[in-house]
Amino acid sequence: MRDVVAFGTAWQDERDFLRRLCREYTRGDAAFAVDEQHQGDRFERLSPLQFASRLKRLREIELEQQMFSDLENGFIASRAEFEPHDMDWTQEVAQNASA
């Protein structure tokens, strides 16, 4: 069992781990399951498609935060000027989930 904290101090490593995990999970024959913890001790078992969707949502939040930071720091003057700071680490995830 491994817990992953989204946007924690080790986020770069965690997102690489999540990408690799999703690649294996979406193949359909994984010998493990992915559970998402909600408030308290409630867990939800995620299908491979749900897991890939959650990762895409994390990427959306990541991009929003990058954009807000750029706006706040004056690097850009509008949302239209925003360009992601890094490559889309979920691109492969989306391809595997739709296959």
Side-chain angles (χ1 to χ4, degrees):
M1 182 166 140
R2 177 172 171 178
D3 291 336
V4 173
V5 177
F7 311 116
T9 56
W11 179 237
Q12 294 290 347
D13 294 333
E14 295 290 41
R15 70 185 202 174
D16 289 340
F17 169 74
L18 290 170
R19 181 181 46 77
R20 290 189 312 271
L21 184 71
C22 193
R23 181 184 321 133
E24 190 172 331
Y25 198 45
T26 55
R27 286 188 194 138
D29 60 348
F32 60 87
V34 174
D35 293 335
E36 180 178 61
Q37 184 174 4
H38 297 278
Q39 294 200 348
D41 293 332
R42 194 171 65 89
F43 289 87
E44 176 185 1
R45 174 79 26 103
L46 300 179
S47 71
L49 188 57
Q50 288 172 314
F51 183 50
S53 177
R54 296 300 198 279
L55 295 187
K56 290 298 286 182
R57 181 63 187 134
L58 290 176
R59 178 61 179 170
E60 291 169 1
I61 293 168
E62 187 176 55
L63 290 174
E64 287 175 356
Q65 292 305 312
Q66 289 177 11
M67 182 191 61
F68 291 142
S69 177
D70 285 0
L71 284 166
E72 185 176 296
N73 290 305
F75 299 134
I76 59 174
S78 71
R79 293 173 181 244
E81 295 177 21
F82 174 71
E83 293 191 21
H85 299 184
D86 52 8
M87 291 180 42
D88 185 355
W89 58 274
T90 64
Q91 188 171 27
E92 180 182 317
V93 167
Q95 292 170 351
N96 286 345
S98 63

